[in-house]
Each structure stands twice: as C-alpha cells, then as structure tokens.
Amino acid sequence: MIRKSFLGLGAVALLTHAAAGWSADEELDTRFYVAPMASYSNYGEDSFDPDDGYGGQFSIGKNLTEHLALELYAFHFGSSDLDNVSNQAQASGGSEMDVTGYGLSALFFPARDVLPIFGIVGLGEGSHDFDNVFFPQGTGDQDSDFIDIGVGFMAPITDGGIAIRGEYRYRSSEVDAPTGGEFKFRDDVVSLGLQIPLGSKPQKSEPRRAAPEPQPKPAPAPAPTPAEPLDSDGDGVPDESDRCPGTPAGTEVDEVGCPAEKEEPIVLQGVRFEFNSAKLTADAERRLDNVVNALQASESIEVRIEGHTDSVGNAAYNLKLSQERADSVKAYLVDHGIAASRLNTKGYGETRPVAPNTKPNGSDNPEGRAKNRRVEMHVVDE
C-alpha cells in the first residue's frame, strides 16, 4: 500500500512553498485554492460489473510555477449496484459498492497563458466498501491503491480568479481481496466544478526597475593658479630675486640672475682620427695618455666627452661619426684604467662649430674646418 507519509510529504511541500513566497514570476496567481467538483465514474471492472457511480471530488492546491501545481484531493462515489456477484458469493438484498480515496496530484501546464489545459498525474489510497458480498473469509471495507492519469481544462469566469474546471482521469485501482490477491478496477472518471482562490487577489507588481547608475561626484573646483612671479628679462629668475636685471635674452644665468661663469671646455688638442673613421691615430693615443694621468690624479672628477665634426658630408652621417669618435676616446681611457662610470659621451656632429667652415665669399675655409673637427672634455658638476 502507498504509505500515508507520501501524502504528508506533499502537504509539507505545499505549506513550505507558501511560507517561502513567490519571486520568480509576480504575474502568477500563487494563492491557495479549493476545487469542489461533481464526478461521474464509469467502472471498468468485469468481476463485479458495477453500475456507473456518481460522487464528488474536493481538492486544495497551489500553483508553484507557471507550469506546475500540486494538490491534495479526496473523492467519494456513492453506492453502485454490483450486477455480477453470483459466481463470487451469495448476495442477499442486493450488493453495492462505495469508493473513497485521497491522494496527491501534480498538474502540468504546457502553456498556461495560451492554452488553458493541463495534464494530471495522481497517486493515492483509499477503500472499496462492498455491501452484501460474502466470501468465506468475509468481505467489506477493502483497502485500495490507485494511480490517476488524465487531462483537464480551466476557464476563468471572474476577475478574482474563479474558474470553471473540468477533468478526465483514467484511474487504475488495486483492491485487496479477502481471498488473497487483488481486485483490479479500471475506471473512467469525469469531473466538473469550480476552482476558487483563497484570499484577496495579489496586486500586479510593477516591473522592477534597475537602480539608477550612481552619478560620479563632481570634481572639486581647481585651486586658483597662483600668479606667476614677474620676470622682466625672461632669464627664469623672478625680479624680486634677480640681482642682475636686464640680462640679454639667451644668456645663461646663475641662481641670482647674473651671467654664469662657465668653465671653458678642454679641447683635446692633437687627438685626431684616421680619415673618415673613429680609429685613433698613434699620436692621438700618446696624447690621451696624459688625460689618463690627469684623471687618475683626480679620481672624483666625472667628465663628458663630446665629439664634433666640420660641415663636409651628410649631417646625419657626421652626427653618427662624432658619436663614434667620442665613444672611441672613452674606450681608450677605460682600457687604461679609468672607470667607465666617470665618463659620458655625446656626439654633436656639425651642429656646434667654433669657427666658420667657409670664408665670407663662400669658398672653403680649411683652417676653420680643422678647428671644428675636435674632441672636448667637460667636467660634470656633482
């Protein structure tokens, strides 16, 4: 027999869902409802050949989702005459059968909003009460199990949710026989009635609106830009601190606005290279030995080695050649014991001449170009 705990589990499921509320679809009516219906049963059991039965069904249920509802239900069919009991037992005063049951149904809605039909699967237990049917073992109120499979429809008739409800169930019943074994009933059950929601209809919820995007806080107003101190001669030193106002434009000045005393660069006289090359001549190497001695005597001094060319040839090539010649001097000094960290190099090509490369009439000026082909050393301030 199907245990009563199965039906209790269904009741717990309904009550738990009611307590939890409904959030997935606010448009679905999730109130509990009752469904009283009148029923007609066409019994299909051949052993007793019962007449058709009339009775009723009462359900209490709840929509769990758009596609599923669960119900607890009970039914009863009144006395139906049994026309074939002569071979089973002696009957006196006519034989009758009452049927009572209760169970749990699941209603499946394939498209509730489009087609108001549903499928039904039900399980339950009950009893078949046989009156005036006698067996040696006795008979009377016999326990039974049943399974329902069917279809139904609902048609709303009020705004409050009341609907006309109709069902067809094919009911398969297994009834305990007093002689052992079971009687089998295969019934066609048709029911018609109402489905009535309990409680007031929930208000239609407004669509949930997304929270507005937080607006960024306005950027604070920028602090007022302080007025630039007045610098009349444009040497970068404010007038209030300038001890030498009116210095010519482009003059390099010290921190108090006076012309800076610059150390003259050390021109490495006699440091020459092979033609169109960065390779030092033998005489140049001998002269660089003196530089090595001087740098070894003053170990705290750092110098920048600058390479320069005349204007003969391509400017880009001259820039590259001047860098290579400065690097060549550095390499010689490093090879003779001067730390590379004390030496920096920079090639300027033909951009910083110290003498004209041509004469005023436009002719070549060999003496001027010779002065421009040079290597200088600058002491780097600490």
Side-chain angles (χ1 to χ4, degrees), residues 128-160:
H128 284 59
D129 187 12
F130 298 96
D131 292 333
N132 295 325
V133 177
F134 302 100
F135 291 91
Q137 296 83 356
T139 189
D141 192 358
Q142 303 297 124
D143 292 337
S144 59
D145 293 334
F146 62 87
I147 299 174
D148 288 352
I149 299 175
V151 295
F153 75 92
M154 273 187 287
I157 57 176
T158 71
D159 292 338

Side-chain angles (χ1 to χ4, degrees), residues 53-288:
Y54 297 90
Q57 175 179 302
F58 183 82
S59 303
I60 180 169
K62 182 177 177 64
N63 291 309
L64 300 185
T65 73
E66 181 183 353
H67 301 290
L68 174 65
L70 288 182
E71 295 182 345
L72 297 173
Y73 72 106
F75 61 86
H76 177 76
F77 290 93
S79 300
S80 297
D81 291 337
L82 302 178
D83 297 333
N84 184 19
V85 297
S86 58
N87 294 330
Q88 302 287 342
Q90 297 294 326
S92 62
S95 298
E96 297 178 337
M97 177 183 72
D98 296 342
V99 181
T100 302
Y102 52 92
L104 174 67
S105 288
L107 276 54
F108 302 96
F109 296 83
R112 186 189 296 262
D113 295 336
V114 178
L115 192 62
I117 64 172
F118 54 90
I120 305 169
V121 175
L123 296 174
E125 59 184 26
S127 65
H128 284 59
D129 187 12
F130 298 96
D131 292 333
N132 295 325
V133 177
F134 302 100
F135 291 91
Q137 296 83 356
T139 189
D141 192 358
Q142 303 297 124
D143 292 337
S144 59
D145 293 334
F146 62 87
I147 299 174
D148 288 352
I149 299 175
V151 295
F153 75 92
M154 273 187 287
I157 57 176
T158 71
D159 292 338
I162 298 175
I164 295 175
R165 173 168 165 173
E167 290 183 1
Y168 164 77
R169 296 181 183 232
Y170 177 74
R171 179 167 293 151
S172 174
S173 302
E174 309 291 337
V175 183
D176 291 345
T179 58
E182 295 177 332
F183 301 131
K184 298 182 184 296
F185 288 81
R186 304 292 182 262
D187 311 329
D188 296 304
V189 181
V190 178
S191 302
L192 182 65
L194 298 175
Q195 179 164 307
I196 305 170
L198 302 177
S200 57
K201 186 176 181 180
Q203 297 296 319
K204 180 180 291 188
S205 61
E206 292 293 332
R208 183 175 297 176
R209 295 172 180 165
E213 291 289 333
Q215 297 298 319
K217 293 182 178 180
T225 304
E228 291 289 337
L230 186 61
D231 180 13
S232 301
D233 56 8
D235 60 2
V237 179
D239 287 353
E240 61 184 18
S241 302
D242 196 341
R243 296 182 185 176
C244 300
T247 52
T251 303
E252 186 174 348
V253 299
D254 57 18
E255 64 274 9
V256 293
C258 295
E261 295 182 2
K262 296 183 60 178
E263 295 184 4
E264 292 295 324
I266 301 170
V267 179
L268 302 181
Q269 300 292 345
V271 175
R272 298 286 185 265
F273 302 88
E274 294 185 3
F275 178 73
N276 202 26
S277 170
K279 184 177 180 181
L280 291 164
T281 64
D283 184 57
E285 291 179 349
R286 286 192 296 272
R287 291 178 181 273
L288 286 176

